Amino acid sequence: MNVSRPAVHPVEAPPVTEAAVHGPRVRMKDVQGMPGTKGGLFLRLSQFSFAIISVSVMATTSDFRSATAFSYLVLAVGLQSLWSLTLAFVDIYALLVKRSLRNYKAIRLFTIGDGITSTLTFAAACASAGITVLIGNDLNKCAFNHCTRFETATAMAFISWFAMSPSFLMNFWSLASQ
């Protein structure tokens, strides 16, 4: 029997790439407000500016040490301003070198730090608001105290906390999605 045989031509195997071994890498889209983005930098700078305004207004009053809540506000918002300024510098660096801050340890540090400072700031703002209401409405002693400055500092602390909340939630979401 005379059977023709097919000709076999050698074919080179495609080069092995990382995508072939591990599958294609899918990167999560950078959501504005996360660390290392322009939105994240804007949030950090707004947190810092409102915290500094709050500390400055409260520290310029002569009798803020008369209530422990006001001293606590200065301490908590001062800590938040340092934290926000530090992370603003980290965001600026990440934007300049075009790096993403997707490191698990860094995100965990940002999340814990944001959670602690936002809780302290919120508690201090609530305590200061209570003392401000007590002085202004219940005791009617605004003539002897700096009620307007106390209210302004407390309002700036709340606004700083409002700016801190999206940062914490974005970091927490990024941490949970890894």
Side-chain angles (χ1 to χ4, degrees), residues 4-44:
S4 66
R5 298 185 185 179
V8 177
H9 300 286
V11 177
E12 291 183 26
V16 178
T17 62
E18 186 177 326
V21 174
H22 300 292
R25 290 184 63 183
V26 178
R27 278 190 65 125
M28 197 166 97
K29 182 180 174 186
D30 282 338
V31 178
Q32 289 300 321
M34 295 181 111
T37 62
K38 290 180 183 177
L41 178 62
F42 174 74
L43 284 173
R44 293 295 176 191

PDB file of all heavy atoms in Angstrom, residues 4-44:
ATOM      1  N   SER A   4       0.622   8.320   1.275  1.00  0.00           N
ATOM      2  CA  SER A   4       1.448   9.512   1.395  1.00  0.00           C
ATOM      3  C   SER A   4       1.501   9.943   2.860  1.00  0.00           C
ATOM      4  O   SER A   4       0.533   9.835   3.597  1.00  0.00           O
ATOM      5  CB  SER A   4       0.907  10.639   0.525  1.00  0.00           C
ATOM      6  OG  SER A   4      -0.340  11.047   1.025  1.00  0.00           O
ATOM      7  N   ARG A   5       2.616  10.404   3.231  1.00  0.00           N
ATOM      8  CA  ARG A   5       2.790  10.865   4.588  1.00  0.00           C
ATOM      9  C   ARG A   5       2.890  12.386   4.587  1.00  0.00           C
ATOM     10  O   ARG A   5       3.564  12.958   3.748  1.00  0.00           O
ATOM     11  CB  ARG A   5       4.049  10.278   5.190  1.00  0.00           C
ATOM     12  CG  ARG A   5       3.936   8.783   5.250  1.00  0.00           C
ATOM     13  CD  ARG A   5       5.103   8.220   5.932  1.00  0.00           C
ATOM     14  NE  ARG A   5       4.968   6.782   5.849  1.00  0.00           N
ATOM     15  CZ  ARG A   5       5.818   5.937   6.315  1.00  0.00           C
ATOM     16  NH1 ARG A   5       6.899   6.383   6.895  1.00  0.00           N
ATOM     17  NH2 ARG A   5       5.619   4.662   6.208  1.00  0.00           N
ATOM     18  N   PRO A   6       2.188  13.020   5.567  1.00  0.00           N
ATOM     19  CA  PRO A   6       2.266  14.479   5.606  1.00  0.00           C
ATOM     20  C   PRO A   6       3.656  14.933   6.046  1.00  0.00           C
ATOM     21  O   PRO A   6       4.311  14.276   6.832  1.00  0.00           O
ATOM     22  CB  PRO A   6       1.214  14.873   6.633  1.00  0.00           C
ATOM     23  CG  PRO A   6       1.059  13.677   7.493  1.00  0.00           C
ATOM     24  CD  PRO A   6       1.343  12.485   6.613  1.00  0.00           C
ATOM     25  N   ALA A   7       4.036  16.046   5.507  1.00  0.00           N
ATOM     26  CA  ALA A   7       5.334  16.606   5.869  1.00  0.00           C
ATOM     27  C   ALA A   7       5.185  17.354   7.187  1.00  0.00           C
ATOM     28  O   ALA A   7       4.252  18.121   7.384  1.00  0.00           O
ATOM     29  CB  ALA A   7       5.827  17.546   4.787  1.00  0.00           C
ATOM     30  N   VAL A   8       6.098  17.132   8.083  1.00  0.00           N
ATOM     31  CA  VAL A   8       6.068  17.788   9.376  1.00  0.00           C
ATOM     32  C   VAL A   8       7.153  18.860   9.377  1.00  0.00           C
ATOM     33  O   VAL A   8       8.318  18.589   9.154  1.00  0.00           O
ATOM     34  CB  VAL A   8       6.314  16.795  10.520  1.00  0.00           C
ATOM     35  CG1 VAL A   8       6.361  17.507  11.855  1.00  0.00           C
ATOM     36  CG2 VAL A   8       5.262  15.730  10.508  1.00  0.00           C
ATOM     37  N   HIS A   9       6.684  20.094   9.594  1.00  0.00           N
ATOM     38  CA  HIS A   9       7.622  21.207   9.672  1.00  0.00           C
ATOM     39  C   HIS A   9       7.723  21.632  11.127  1.00  0.00           C
ATOM     40  O   HIS A   9       6.712  21.807  11.806  1.00  0.00           O
ATOM     41  CB  HIS A   9       7.143  22.386   8.822  1.00  0.00           C
ATOM     42  CG  HIS A   9       7.003  22.053   7.381  1.00  0.00           C
ATOM     43  ND1 HIS A   9       8.089  21.898   6.550  1.00  0.00           N
ATOM     44  CD2 HIS A   9       5.914  21.818   6.620  1.00  0.00           C
ATOM     45  CE1 HIS A   9       7.681  21.608   5.340  1.00  0.00           C
ATOM     46  NE2 HIS A   9       6.346  21.543   5.361  1.00  0.00           N
ATOM     47  N   PRO A  10       8.908  21.831  11.622  1.00  0.00           N
ATOM     48  CA  PRO A  10       9.041  22.230  13.029  1.00  0.00           C
ATOM     49  C   PRO A  10       8.502  23.649  13.248  1.00  0.00           C
ATOM     50  O   PRO A  10       8.708  24.538  12.442  1.00  0.00           O
ATOM     51  CB  PRO A  10      10.531  22.167  13.290  1.00  0.00           C
ATOM     52  CG  PRO A  10      11.165  22.214  11.949  1.00  0.00           C
ATOM     53  CD  PRO A  10      10.181  21.678  10.960  1.00  0.00           C
ATOM     54  N   VAL A  11       7.778  23.799  14.316  1.00  0.00           N
ATOM     55  CA  VAL A  11       7.209  25.087  14.691  1.00  0.00           C
ATOM     56  C   VAL A  11       7.782  25.472  16.050  1.00  0.00           C
ATOM     57  O   VAL A  11       7.785  24.664  16.967  1.00  0.00           O
ATOM     58  CB  VAL A  11       5.662  25.012  14.772  1.00  0.00           C
ATOM     59  CG1 VAL A  11       5.084  26.326  15.238  1.00  0.00           C
ATOM     60  CG2 VAL A  11       5.093  24.579  13.450  1.00  0.00           C
ATOM     61  N   GLU A  12       8.241  26.721  16.135  1.00  0.00           N
ATOM     62  CA  GLU A  12       8.807  27.169  17.400  1.00  0.00           C
ATOM     63  C   GLU A  12       7.691  27.510  18.387  1.00  0.00           C
ATOM     64  O   GLU A  12       6.658  28.053  18.012  1.00  0.00           O
ATOM     65  CB  GLU A  12       9.661  28.412  17.178  1.00  0.00           C
ATOM     66  CG  GLU A  12      10.921  28.142  16.403  1.00  0.00           C
ATOM     67  CD  GLU A  12      11.763  29.386  16.275  1.00  0.00           C
ATOM     68  OE1 GLU A  12      11.653  30.278  17.140  1.00  0.00           O
ATOM     69  OE2 GLU A  12      12.524  29.465  15.313  1.00  0.00           O
ATOM     70  N   ALA A  13       7.941  27.167  19.626  1.00  0.00           N
ATOM     71  CA  ALA A  13       6.978  27.490  20.680  1.00  0.00           C
ATOM     72  C   ALA A  13       7.063  28.987  20.974  1.00  0.00           C
ATOM     73  O   ALA A  13       8.133  29.585  20.904  1.00  0.00           O
ATOM     74  CB  ALA A  13       7.287  26.701  21.941  1.00  0.00           C
ATOM     75  N   PRO A  14       5.933  29.590  21.298  1.00  0.00           N
ATOM     76  CA  PRO A  14       5.978  31.017  21.629  1.00  0.00           C
ATOM     77  C   PRO A  14       6.769  31.221  22.918  1.00  0.00           C
ATOM     78  O   PRO A  14       6.811  30.346  23.780  1.00  0.00           O
ATOM     79  CB  PRO A  14       4.506  31.393  21.818  1.00  0.00           C
ATOM     80  CG  PRO A  14       3.810  30.116  22.089  1.00  0.00           C
ATOM     81  CD  PRO A  14       4.598  29.050  21.401  1.00  0.00           C
ATOM     82  N   PRO A  15       7.409  32.364  23.040  1.00  0.00           N
ATOM     83  CA  PRO A  15       8.190  32.599  24.261  1.00  0.00           C
ATOM     84  C   PRO A  15       7.275  32.658  25.481  1.00  0.00           C
ATOM     85  O   PRO A  15       6.150  33.135  25.423  1.00  0.00           O
ATOM     86  CB  PRO A  15       8.865  33.949  24.003  1.00  0.00           C
ATOM     87  CG  PRO A  15       8.038  34.593  22.954  1.00  0.00           C
ATOM     88  CD  PRO A  15       7.439  33.493  22.131  1.00  0.00           C
ATOM     89  N   VAL A  16       7.794  32.150  26.572  1.00  0.00           N
ATOM     90  CA  VAL A  16       7.032  32.130  27.818  1.00  0.00           C
ATOM     91  C   VAL A  16       7.107  33.527  28.443  1.00  0.00           C
ATOM     92  O   VAL A  16       8.186  34.057  28.679  1.00  0.00           O
ATOM     93  CB  VAL A  16       7.586  31.072  28.790  1.00  0.00           C
ATOM     94  CG1 VAL A  16       6.818  31.091  30.096  1.00  0.00           C
ATOM     95  CG2 VAL A  16       7.538  29.704  28.149  1.00  0.00           C
ATOM     96  N   THR A  17       5.949  34.088  28.679  1.00  0.00           N
ATOM     97  CA  THR A  17       5.886  35.401  29.318  1.00  0.00           C
ATOM     98  C   THR A  17       5.252  35.266  30.687  1.00  0.00           C
ATOM     99  O   THR A  17       4.704  34.216  31.035  1.00  0.00           O
ATOM    100  CB  THR A  17       5.053  36.392  28.472  1.00  0.00           C
ATOM    101  OG1 THR A  17       3.719  35.889  28.383  1.00  0.00           O
ATOM    102  CG2 THR A  17       5.650  36.578  27.089  1.00  0.00           C
ATOM    103  N   GLU A  18       5.341  36.340  31.449  1.00  0.00           N
ATOM    104  CA  GLU A  18       4.747  36.330  32.792  1.00  0.00           C
ATOM    105  C   GLU A  18       3.235  36.163  32.710  1.00  0.00           C
ATOM    106  O   GLU A  18       2.617  35.525  33.551  1.00  0.00           O
ATOM    107  CB  GLU A  18       5.087  37.630  33.519  1.00  0.00           C
ATOM    108  CG  GLU A  18       4.639  37.635  34.960  1.00  0.00           C
ATOM    109  CD  GLU A  18       5.049  38.899  35.685  1.00  0.00           C
ATOM    110  OE1 GLU A  18       6.123  39.444  35.394  1.00  0.00           O
ATOM    111  OE2 GLU A  18       4.269  39.318  36.556  1.00  0.00           O
ATOM    112  N   ALA A  19       2.629  36.736  31.678  1.00  0.00           N
ATOM    113  CA  ALA A  19       1.177  36.635  31.528  1.00  0.00           C
ATOM    114  C   ALA A  19       0.767  35.203  31.250  1.00  0.00           C
ATOM    115  O   ALA A  19      -0.299  34.753  31.675  1.00  0.00           O
ATOM    116  CB  ALA A  19       0.700  37.552  30.414  1.00  0.00           C
ATOM    117  N   ALA A  20       1.616  34.446  30.531  1.00  0.00           N
ATOM    118  CA  ALA A  20       1.283  33.053  30.235  1.00  0.00           C
ATOM    119  C   ALA A  20       1.414  32.182  31.478  1.00  0.00           C
ATOM    120  O   ALA A  20       0.664  31.227  31.659  1.00  0.00           O
ATOM    121  CB  ALA A  20       2.178  32.526  29.124  1.00  0.00           C
ATOM    122  N   VAL A  21       2.351  32.517  32.346  1.00  0.00           N
ATOM    123  CA  VAL A  21       2.576  31.710  33.540  1.00  0.00           C
ATOM    124  C   VAL A  21       1.535  32.022  34.610  1.00  0.00           C
ATOM    125  O   VAL A  21       0.913  31.141  35.185  1.00  0.00           O
ATOM    126  CB  VAL A  21       4.002  31.949  34.084  1.00  0.00           C
ATOM    127  CG1 VAL A  21       4.200  31.244  35.404  1.00  0.00           C
ATOM    128  CG2 VAL A  21       5.023  31.494  33.072  1.00  0.00           C
ATOM    129  N   HIS A  22       1.341  33.287  34.917  1.00  0.00           N
ATOM    130  CA  HIS A  22       0.472  33.695  36.013  1.00  0.00           C
ATOM    131  C   HIS A  22      -0.893  34.196  35.559  1.00  0.00           C
ATOM    132  O   HIS A  22      -1.714  34.553  36.387  1.00  0.00           O
ATOM    133  CB  HIS A  22       1.138  34.818  36.823  1.00  0.00           C
ATOM    134  CG  HIS A  22       2.448  34.422  37.427  1.00  0.00           C
ATOM    135  ND1 HIS A  22       2.548  33.497  38.433  1.00  0.00           N
ATOM    136  CD2 HIS A  22       3.712  34.812  37.154  1.00  0.00           C
ATOM    137  CE1 HIS A  22       3.820  33.343  38.765  1.00  0.00           C
ATOM    138  NE2 HIS A  22       4.552  34.130  38.005  1.00  0.00           N
ATOM    139  N   GLY A  23      -1.127  34.267  34.303  1.00  0.00           N
ATOM    140  CA  GLY A  23      -2.369  34.859  33.812  1.00  0.00           C
ATOM    141  C   GLY A  23      -2.187  36.361  33.683  1.00  0.00           C
ATOM    142  O   GLY A  23      -1.249  36.938  34.228  1.00  0.00           O
ATOM    143  N   PRO A  24      -3.036  36.997  32.965  1.00  0.00           N
ATOM    144  CA  PRO A  24      -2.878  38.446  32.790  1.00  0.00           C
ATOM    145  C   PRO A  24      -3.112  39.183  34.098  1.00  0.00           C
ATOM    146  O   PRO A  24      -3.990  38.829  34.879  1.00  0.00           O
ATOM    147  CB  PRO A  24      -3.936  38.807  31.749  1.00  0.00           C
ATOM    148  CG  PRO A  24      -4.949  37.717  31.862  1.00  0.00           C
ATOM    149  CD  PRO A  24      -4.202  36.488  32.270  1.00  0.00           C
ATOM    150  N   ARG A  25      -2.282  40.209  34.346  1.00  0.00           N
ATOM    151  CA  ARG A  25      -2.434  41.024  35.544  1.00  0.00           C
ATOM    152  C   ARG A  25      -3.496  42.078  35.294  1.00  0.00           C
ATOM    153  O   ARG A  25      -3.443  42.795  34.309  1.00  0.00           O
ATOM    154  CB  ARG A  25      -1.121  41.707  35.903  1.00  0.00           C
ATOM    155  CG  ARG A  25      -0.089  40.720  36.398  1.00  0.00           C
ATOM    156  CD  ARG A  25       1.144  41.424  36.830  1.00  0.00           C
ATOM    157  NE  ARG A  25       0.808  42.284  37.956  1.00  0.00           N
ATOM    158  CZ  ARG A  25       1.657  43.089  38.540  1.00  0.00           C
ATOM    159  NH1 ARG A  25       2.885  43.174  38.097  1.00  0.00           N
ATOM    160  NH2 ARG A  25       1.295  43.850  39.548  1.00  0.00           N
ATOM    161  N   VAL A  26      -4.424  42.141  36.190  1.00  0.00           N
ATOM    162  CA  VAL A  26      -5.471  43.140  36.090  1.00  0.00           C
ATOM    163  C   VAL A  26      -5.250  44.142  37.212  1.00  0.00           C
ATOM    164  O   VAL A  26      -5.216  43.774  38.377  1.00  0.00           O
ATOM    165  CB  VAL A  26      -6.876  42.500  36.219  1.00  0.00           C
ATOM    166  CG1 VAL A  26      -7.944  43.556  36.165  1.00  0.00           C
ATOM    167  CG2 VAL A  26      -7.067  41.458  35.146  1.00  0.00           C
ATOM    168  N   ARG A  27      -5.052  45.388  36.834  1.00  0.00           N
ATOM    169  CA  ARG A  27      -4.864  46.437  37.836  1.00  0.00           C
ATOM    170  C   ARG A  27      -6.173  47.137  38.087  1.00  0.00           C
ATOM    171  O   ARG A  27      -6.918  47.429  37.165  1.00  0.00           O
ATOM    172  CB  ARG A  27      -3.848  47.461  37.355  1.00  0.00           C
ATOM    173  CG  ARG A  27      -2.439  47.018  37.598  1.00  0.00           C
ATOM    174  CD  ARG A  27      -1.545  48.171  37.322  1.00  0.00           C
ATOM    175  NE  ARG A  27      -1.804  49.226  38.274  1.00  0.00           N
ATOM    176  CZ  ARG A  27      -0.882  49.764  39.021  1.00  0.00           C
ATOM    177  NH1 ARG A  27       0.339  49.338  38.932  1.00  0.00           N
ATOM    178  NH2 ARG A  27      -1.165  50.740  39.839  1.00  0.00           N
ATOM    179  N   MET A  28      -6.395  47.408  39.343  1.00  0.00           N
ATOM    180  CA  MET A  28      -7.583  48.143  39.695  1.00  0.00           C
ATOM    181  C   MET A  28      -7.389  49.604  39.291  1.00  0.00           C
ATOM    182  O   MET A  28      -6.299  50.150  39.405  1.00  0.00           O
ATOM    183  CB  MET A  28      -7.800  48.051  41.201  1.00  0.00           C
ATOM    184  CG  MET A  28      -9.164  48.424  41.641  1.00  0.00           C
ATOM    185  SD  MET A  28      -9.410  47.893  43.326  1.00  0.00           S
ATOM    186  CE  MET A  28      -9.063  49.395  44.161  1.00  0.00           C
ATOM    187  N   LYS A  29      -8.423  50.188  38.807  1.00  0.00           N
ATOM    188  CA  LYS A  29      -8.352  51.573  38.374  1.00  0.00           C
ATOM    189  C   LYS A  29      -8.131  52.472  39.591  1.00  0.00           C
ATOM    190  O   LYS A  29      -8.706  52.257  40.645  1.00  0.00           O
ATOM    191  CB  LYS A  29      -9.659  51.939  37.680  1.00  0.00           C
ATOM    192  CG  LYS A  29      -9.698  53.332  37.140  1.00  0.00           C
ATOM    193  CD  LYS A  29     -11.035  53.599  36.485  1.00  0.00           C
ATOM    194  CE  LYS A  29     -11.125  55.045  36.078  1.00  0.00           C
ATOM    195  NZ  LYS A  29     -12.437  55.382  35.562  1.00  0.00           N
ATOM    196  N   ASP A  30      -7.271  53.470  39.408  1.00  0.00           N
ATOM    197  CA  ASP A  30      -7.045  54.433  40.475  1.00  0.00           C
ATOM    198  C   ASP A  30      -8.266  55.331  40.609  1.00  0.00           C
ATOM    199  O   ASP A  30      -8.599  56.083  39.704  1.00  0.00           O
ATOM    200  CB  ASP A  30      -5.811  55.289  40.189  1.00  0.00           C
ATOM    201  CG  ASP A  30      -4.522  54.558  40.497  1.00  0.00           C
ATOM    202  OD1 ASP A  30      -4.567  53.602  41.280  1.00  0.00           O
ATOM    203  OD2 ASP A  30      -3.484  54.957  39.954  1.00  0.00           O
ATOM    204  N   VAL A  31      -8.931  55.240  41.735  1.00  0.00           N
ATOM    205  CA  VAL A  31     -10.098  56.064  42.009  1.00  0.00           C
ATOM    206  C   VAL A  31      -9.617  57.338  42.672  1.00  0.00           C
ATOM    207  O   VAL A  31      -8.783  57.296  43.582  1.00  0.00           O
ATOM    208  CB  VAL A  31     -11.088  55.311  42.926  1.00  0.00           C
ATOM    209  CG1 VAL A  31     -12.284  56.174  43.267  1.00  0.00           C
ATOM    210  CG2 VAL A  31     -11.525  54.010  42.279  1.00  0.00           C
ATOM    211  N   GLN A  32     -10.119  58.475  42.218  1.00  0.00           N
ATOM    212  CA  GLN A  32      -9.704  59.746  42.804  1.00  0.00           C
ATOM    213  C   GLN A  32     -10.107  59.775  44.277  1.00  0.00           C
ATOM    214  O   GLN A  32     -11.233  59.463  44.623  1.00  0.00           O
ATOM    215  CB  GLN A  32     -10.333  60.924  42.057  1.00  0.00           C
ATOM    216  CG  GLN A  32      -9.768  61.128  40.680  1.00  0.00           C
ATOM    217  CD  GLN A  32      -8.276  61.401  40.691  1.00  0.00           C
ATOM    218  OE1 GLN A  32      -7.756  62.100  41.540  1.00  0.00           O
ATOM    219  NE2 GLN A  32      -7.576  60.811  39.738  1.00  0.00           N
ATOM    220  N   GLY A  33      -9.174  60.141  45.092  1.00  0.00           N
ATOM    221  CA  GLY A  33      -9.376  60.149  46.536  1.00  0.00           C
ATOM    222  C   GLY A  33      -8.519  59.109  47.227  1.00  0.00           C
ATOM    223  O   GLY A  33      -8.290  59.173  48.426  1.00  0.00           O
ATOM    224  N   MET A  34      -8.025  58.139  46.450  1.00  0.00           N
ATOM    225  CA  MET A  34      -7.137  57.136  47.018  1.00  0.00           C
ATOM    226  C   MET A  34      -5.731  57.717  47.133  1.00  0.00           C
ATOM    227  O   MET A  34      -5.406  58.698  46.476  1.00  0.00           O
ATOM    228  CB  MET A  34      -7.119  55.891  46.135  1.00  0.00           C
ATOM    229  CG  MET A  34      -8.445  55.187  46.084  1.00  0.00           C
ATOM    230  SD  MET A  34      -8.362  53.742  45.059  1.00  0.00           S
ATOM    231  CE  MET A  34      -8.513  52.511  46.307  1.00  0.00           C
ATOM    232  N   PRO A  35      -4.888  57.125  47.961  1.00  0.00           N
ATOM    233  CA  PRO A  35      -3.523  57.634  48.094  1.00  0.00           C
ATOM    234  C   PRO A  35      -2.779  57.587  46.763  1.00  0.00           C
ATOM    235  O   PRO A  35      -2.919  56.634  45.990  1.00  0.00           O
ATOM    236  CB  PRO A  35      -2.878  56.676  49.093  1.00  0.00           C
ATOM    237  CG  PRO A  35      -3.997  56.037  49.803  1.00  0.00           C
ATOM    238  CD  PRO A  35      -5.148  56.014  48.863  1.00  0.00           C
ATOM    239  N   GLY A  36      -2.012  58.628  46.494  1.00  0.00           N
ATOM    240  CA  GLY A  36      -1.232  58.684  45.273  1.00  0.00           C
ATOM    241  C   GLY A  36      -1.966  59.251  44.075  1.00  0.00           C
ATOM    242  O   GLY A  36      -1.457  59.208  42.970  1.00  0.00           O
ATOM    243  N   THR A  37      -3.167  59.796  44.284  1.00  0.00           N
ATOM    244  CA  THR A  37      -3.919  60.417  43.196  1.00  0.00           C
ATOM    245  C   THR A  37      -4.078  61.907  43.481  1.00  0.00           C
ATOM    246  O   THR A  37      -3.858  62.365  44.601  1.00  0.00           O
ATOM    247  CB  THR A  37      -5.317  59.782  43.054  1.00  0.00           C
ATOM    248  OG1 THR A  37      -6.059  59.994  44.254  1.00  0.00           O
ATOM    249  CG2 THR A  37      -5.230  58.287  42.769  1.00  0.00           C
ATOM    250  N   LYS A  38      -4.466  62.642  42.449  1.00  0.00           N
ATOM    251  CA  LYS A  38      -4.668  64.077  42.634  1.00  0.00           C
ATOM    252  C   LYS A  38      -5.829  64.351  43.593  1.00  0.00           C
ATOM    253  O   LYS A  38      -5.780  65.282  44.387  1.00  0.00           O
ATOM    254  CB  LYS A  38      -4.931  64.754  41.293  1.00  0.00           C
ATOM    255  CG  LYS A  38      -3.713  64.788  40.413  1.00  0.00           C
ATOM    256  CD  LYS A  38      -4.021  65.461  39.081  1.00  0.00           C
ATOM    257  CE  LYS A  38      -2.807  65.418  38.184  1.00  0.00           C
ATOM    258  NZ  LYS A  38      -3.069  66.000  36.862  1.00  0.00           N
ATOM    259  N   GLY A  39      -6.864  63.526  43.529  1.00  0.00           N
ATOM    260  CA  GLY A  39      -7.981  63.669  44.462  1.00  0.00           C
ATOM    261  C   GLY A  39      -7.566  63.401  45.896  1.00  0.00           C
ATOM    262  O   GLY A  39      -8.008  64.072  46.828  1.00  0.00           O
ATOM    263  N   GLY A  40      -6.704  62.398  46.091  1.00  0.00           N
ATOM    264  CA  GLY A  40      -6.185  62.111  47.423  1.00  0.00           C
ATOM    265  C   GLY A  40      -5.343  63.251  47.965  1.00  0.00           C
ATOM    266  O   GLY A  40      -5.426  63.605  49.144  1.00  0.00           O
ATOM    267  N   LEU A  41      -4.549  63.857  47.076  1.00  0.00           N
ATOM    268  CA  LEU A  41      -3.749  65.007  47.486  1.00  0.00           C
ATOM    269  C   LEU A  41      -4.643  66.186  47.856  1.00  0.00           C
ATOM    270  O   LEU A  41      -4.402  66.864  48.864  1.00  0.00           O
ATOM    271  CB  LEU A  41      -2.781  65.407  46.372  1.00  0.00           C
ATOM    272  CG  LEU A  41      -1.911  66.633  46.632  1.00  0.00           C
ATOM    273  CD1 LEU A  41      -1.008  66.404  47.840  1.00  0.00           C
ATOM    274  CD2 LEU A  41      -1.101  66.967  45.400  1.00  0.00           C
ATOM    275  N   PHE A  42      -5.700  66.410  47.082  1.00  0.00           N
ATOM    276  CA  PHE A  42      -6.635  67.491  47.406  1.00  0.00           C
ATOM    277  C   PHE A  42      -7.292  67.265  48.762  1.00  0.00           C
ATOM    278  O   PHE A  42      -7.417  68.191  49.559  1.00  0.00           O
ATOM    279  CB  PHE A  42      -7.705  67.614  46.313  1.00  0.00           C
ATOM    280  CG  PHE A  42      -8.781  68.598  46.644  1.00  0.00           C
ATOM    281  CD1 PHE A  42      -8.542  69.957  46.584  1.00  0.00           C
ATOM    282  CD2 PHE A  42     -10.037  68.152  47.044  1.00  0.00           C
ATOM    283  CE1 PHE A  42      -9.532  70.864  46.905  1.00  0.00           C
ATOM    284  CE2 PHE A  42     -11.030  69.049  47.368  1.00  0.00           C
ATOM    285  CZ  PHE A  42     -10.776  70.410  47.302  1.00  0.00           C
ATOM    286  N   LEU A  43      -7.706  66.023  49.039  1.00  0.00           N
ATOM    287  CA  LEU A  43      -8.319  65.718  50.338  1.00  0.00           C
ATOM    288  C   LEU A  43      -7.318  65.951  51.476  1.00  0.00           C
ATOM    289  O   LEU A  43      -7.674  66.526  52.513  1.00  0.00           O
ATOM    290  CB  LEU A  43      -8.822  64.284  50.372  1.00  0.00           C
ATOM    291  CG  LEU A  43     -10.105  63.999  49.613  1.00  0.00           C
ATOM    292  CD1 LEU A  43     -10.388  62.506  49.596  1.00  0.00           C
ATOM    293  CD2 LEU A  43     -11.268  64.743  50.232  1.00  0.00           C
ATOM    294  N   ARG A  44      -6.079  65.517  51.289  1.00  0.00           N
ATOM    295  CA  ARG A  44      -5.068  65.697  52.341  1.00  0.00           C
ATOM    296  C   ARG A  44      -4.787  67.173  52.593  1.00  0.00           C
ATOM    297  O   ARG A  44      -4.651  67.602  53.736  1.00  0.00           O
ATOM    298  CB  ARG A  44      -3.764  64.991  51.966  1.00  0.00           C
ATOM    299  CG  ARG A  44      -3.870  63.515  51.918  1.00  0.00           C
ATOM    300  CD  ARG A  44      -4.149  62.922  53.254  1.00  0.00           C
ATOM    301  NE  ARG A  44      -4.335  61.482  53.119  1.00  0.00           N
ATOM    302  CZ  ARG A  44      -4.793  60.726  54.065  1.00  0.00           C
ATOM    303  NH1 ARG A  44      -5.120  61.232  55.229  1.00  0.00           N
ATOM    304  NH2 ARG A  44      -4.952  59.441  53.881  1.00  0.00           N
TER     305      ARG A  44
END
